[in-house]
Amino acid sequence: MPTLNISLPDSLKGYIEKRVLDGGFSTASEFIRSLVRDDQQRNAQKDLEAALVEGMRGEFGDWSQEDVEAMKHEVRKQMKSRKSK
């Protein structure tokens, strides 16, 4: 696996080491990989939401942020309902 070297201030290095020692992660690398995966998911979600809003504008007119949040809530509710079946 390729490697990547980064420089961190002592406070961040200490935080990472504490997270590893607390047992949440086996290694510092595992913790960093988890952070990167979380960031990838957040960006993918943001891109998806932007595409959905853009698509809705064309067909249904402008949507407010409240409309988008209500739609997200409804979709999550339906997804949770499907998972429980």
Side-chain angles (χ1 to χ4, degrees):
M1 181 180 306
T3 62
L4 173 69
N5 294 316
I6 60 171
S7 298
L8 298 171
D10 289 337
S11 61
L12 291 180
K13 183 177 183 281
Y15 178 79
I16 292 170
E17 290 169 346
K18 183 177 182 326
R19 291 288 302 200
V20 171
L21 288 174
D22 288 345
F25 299 91
S26 316
T27 64
S29 291
E30 183 182 306
F31 178 68
I32 300 298
R33 282 192 297 271
S34 173
L35 294 176
V36 172
R37 280 188 215 99
D38 290 347
D39 185 64
Q40 286 175 322
Q41 285 182 321
R42 277 191 304 276
N43 281 317
Q45 181 69 29
K46 188 173 81 173
D47 292 345
L48 176 60
E49 289 174 11
L52 288 171
V53 169
E54 185 61 32
M56 290 186 287
R57 279 193 182 119
E59 191 169 333
F60 302 109
D62 287 340
W63 283 51
S64 69
Q65 187 62 36
E66 289 95 14
D67 294 331
V68 173
E69 292 303 318
M71 180 66 75
K72 286 171 31 180
H73 176 75
E74 183 62 30
V75 168
R76 287 184 184 121
K77 189 169 88 175
Q78 289 181 16
M79 288 175 67
K80 186 177 180 180
S81 171
R82 288 181 186 160
K83 286 181 182 178
S84 65
K85 291 181 180 179

